[in-house]
Amino acid sequence: MLRQALRPAQLRCLRAWPTSMPIARVGLIRPYSDTIMSNSLPKKNSDGQTKRDNRSPQDPTQTLTQADSISSVIKQDHREIERYYDNLVNSKDPDTQRRYQNAFVWELTRHAIAEELVVYPSMETGVSNGKEMADKDRAEHQVTKEALYKFQKMSPGDKDFIPTLESLMKDLRMHIKEEEEEDLVKLEEALLPTRSRDLAQQFETTKSFTPTRSHPSAPNRPPFESVVGLMAAPLDKLRDIFRAWPDEPSRKPPSGGPAR
């Protein structure tokens, strides 16, 4: 009897329940993806071509300063890497060489991975022939990573210590020159200033989570590079605590004591 009495009430509830519920759209955000800042993506013309932003950094309607652009933060890293190299090769003191060796490996590793996760995907999607450019840059990075892996295991007393570094830097200088004079110029032309600023912020944030030592066998493109990097980074950072670093103000980790 109770079941029969409840049945009409159940039917009324079912009739009152909406037959189609609106489904909320959820934006899926992947780390370091071009979709993170979708409101600042480059706008397209009617023919599908990317509009070039011709505004100057001095334009009062422009919120981006030159120091905020993705090009400027990458060039700043390049100058820092070159400075570490110069201090390393110009020193005859093994302790100083070891400290700048650690700083050189640390800076170059983080820089290369951040470019592969943040800059190259944007190049592939926003620049004409961007995929070919990014593939070429990744191939050059791979050569650098393999040389860096060899160098990071050496000691200042090894006879091939400086020659290995000089060979690495010779190839790296060519890569830096092409990147600054060609790749970054084309990328900035394809980006709205706000998007360039967004990429610069993502680039700097990404470096905080990357490995700090060269792992040339790791993947060199997202999402696999992100996963492998998140696994390798904690161990690298733990070992950084016990490494020695140049005694100067910089973005380096704190020194752990005697050079090692």
Side-chain angles (χ1 to χ4, degrees), residues 120 137 140-141 171-179:
Y120 296 166
D137 287 339
E140 292 173 354
H141 272 197
D171 292 336
L172 183 59
R173 286 190 192 279
M174 293 177 59
H175 171 79
I176 288 174
K177 186 177 188 312
E178 291 177 358
E179 190 170 70

Side-chain angles (χ1 to χ4, degrees), residues 244-259:
W245 307 90
D247 187 18
E248 61 179 44
S250 72
R251 299 168 290 177
K252 68 184 188 310
S255 174

Side-chain angles (χ1 to χ4, degrees), residues 83-84 87 95-96 99-100 103 244-250 252-253 255:
R83 188 174 67 83
Y84 287 150
N87 289 334
D95 180 82
T96 301
R99 291 174 183 271
Y100 279 106
W245 307 90
D247 187 18
E248 61 179 44
S250 72
K252 68 184 188 310
S255 174

